[in-house]
């Protein structure tokens, strides 16, 4: 049967190939926008990377909400190329620590250049990673590349990086401390986390309450003038 062809060339009756829905913006009165932006800054400005964790258990549900939030990140072609593996089992965390420390020993003893070691000195880091066992949960974030059940992703590092930013922000505002640990190379994480080869670990994020006596380096953030250019 003949279909009516609209001037645009689309059959009047056909469902569009790529449906759209109305946008539901978060409407904020203009008069409140700055105060809200500032309030969020005040929360985020208190975030510090912590290396001394308490073994205090995590409150129920927070990690799940943080991962749901991380998974709202924009991604290239909306492929959502991320996997979040939550390790809470002490034996898995022990294996993770053992393998990560083996890589870190190599890094500090041989792989890192003198320039890199000098840049790290103020942070007081070394090969020892007790937090991988002390923190009640460690989230290992994988990039998901093309595989039997996954399409080719685009802008994978950018997409996963944005999602990890949201993960850290959500956990922080729920009162939890995090650390982005990036052991290199990371292939051992496929085995520790039971993940297939198309998944490539990109971040190891211990999550928990800071130890009561936790101290952090006396770092300063760059000022707005140092980081922003207005043209
Ligand atoms: N991955 C090592 C080294 C390290 C590198 C950077 I760049 C840091 O900001 C911190 C540490 C480690 O975890 O110790």
């Amino acid at each position: 049967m003949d279909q009516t062809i609209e001037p645009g060339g689309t059959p009047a009756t056909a469902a569009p190939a790529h449906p759209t829905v109305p946008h539901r913006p978060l409407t904020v009165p203009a008069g409140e926008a700055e105060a809200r932006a500032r309030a969020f800054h005040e929360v985020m400005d208190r975030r510090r990377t912590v290396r001394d964790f308490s073994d205090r258990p995590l409150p129920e549900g927070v990690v799940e909400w943080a991962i749901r939030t991380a998974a709202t990140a924009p991604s290239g072609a909306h492929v959502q190329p991320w996997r979040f593996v939550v390790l809470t089992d002490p034996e898995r965390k022990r294996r993770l620590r053992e393998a990560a420390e083996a890589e870190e020993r190599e890094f500090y003893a041989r792989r890192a250049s003198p320039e890199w070691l000098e840049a790290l000195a103020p942070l007081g880091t070394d090969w020892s990673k007790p937090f991988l066992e002390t923190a009640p949960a460690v989230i290992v974030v994988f990039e998901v590349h093309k595989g039997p059940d996954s399409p080719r992703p685009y802008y994978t590092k950018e997409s996963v990086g944005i999602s990890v930013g949201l993960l850290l922000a959500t956990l922080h505002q729920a009162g939890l401390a995090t650390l982005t640990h990036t052991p290199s190379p990371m292939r051992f994480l496929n085995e520790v986390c039971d993940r297939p080869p198309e998944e490539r670990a990109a971040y190891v994020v211990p999550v928990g309450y800071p130890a009561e006596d936790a101290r952090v380096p006396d770092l300063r953030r760059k000022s707005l003038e140092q980081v922003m250019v207005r043209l």
Side-chain angles (χ1 to χ4, degrees):
M1 214 167 66
D2 281 347
Q3 277 178 319
T4 316
I5 304 294
E6 297 281 290
T10 311
T13 51
H18 303 290
T20 61
V21 292
H23 177 45
R24 296 185 300 123
L26 192 67
T27 44
V28 175
E32 288 170 28
E34 185 185 2
R36 287 181 61 157
R38 183 178 181 152
F40 189 60
H41 170 263
E42 273 161 19
V43 172
M44 291 313 300
D45 199 31
R46 293 280 303 272
R47 201 198 81 86
R48 291 299 311 262
T49 285
V50 162
R51 291 184 170 78
D52 294 315
F53 285 85
S54 145
D55 60 3
R56 181 177 162 196
L58 296 178
E60 193 101 351
V62 176
V63 163
E64 289 80 358
W65 284 113
I67 292 174
R68 284 188 188 98
T69 303
T72 68
S75 60
H78 193 55
V79 168
Q80 307 171 79
W82 38 63
R83 174 89 60 218
F84 303 90
V85 175
V86 183
L87 300 182
T88 52
D89 171 44
E91 174 54 21
R92 295 256 185 193
K93 289 194 293 172
R94 194 195 60 73
R95 280 167 57 198
L96 168 62
R97 175 181 179 182
E98 200 173 296
E101 286 185 339
E103 296 295 353
E104 294 299 342
R105 274 181 203 275
E106 266 299 299
F107 173 83
Y108 283 95
R110 270 173 284 278
R111 275 204 297 269
S113 63
E115 185 188 27
W116 196 341
L117 291 177
E118 198 183 320
L120 289 179
L123 304 184
T125 58
D126 59 24
W127 61 267
S128 159
K129 305 296 171 193
F131 49 75
L132 294 174
E133 279 190 275
T134 322
V138 179
I139 306 177
V140 184
V141 185
F142 288 78
E143 300 170 355
V144 183
H145 291 266
K146 187 173 168 56
D149 302 309
S150 47
R152 188 204 139 162
Y154 301 90
Y155 296 102
T156 314
K157 295 209 179 304
E158 293 83 348
S159 306
V160 176
I162 295 168
S163 82
V164 170
L166 295 174
L167 183 76
L168 302 188
T170 308
L171 291 167
H172 169 63
Q173 64 82 51
L176 295 174
T178 52
L179 156 66
T180 40
H181 173 54
T182 50
S184 159
M186 299 220 195
R187 263 300 166 194
F188 71 87
L189 287 162
N190 286 72
E191 203 191 315
V192 173
C193 299
D194 291 342
R195 301 314 304 164
E198 64 272 20
E199 300 193 10
R200 297 184 204 154
Y203 303 83
V204 174
V205 184
V207 183
Y209 288 100
E212 289 207 2
D213 59 352
R215 297 183 66 83
V216 293
D218 184 15
L219 305 178
R220 299 298 137 89
R221 295 200 158 102
K222 289 184 177 178
S223 67
L224 180 66
E225 292 66 34
Q226 287 173 299
V227 300
M228 185 175 92
V229 175
R230 206 191 281 278
L231 295 174

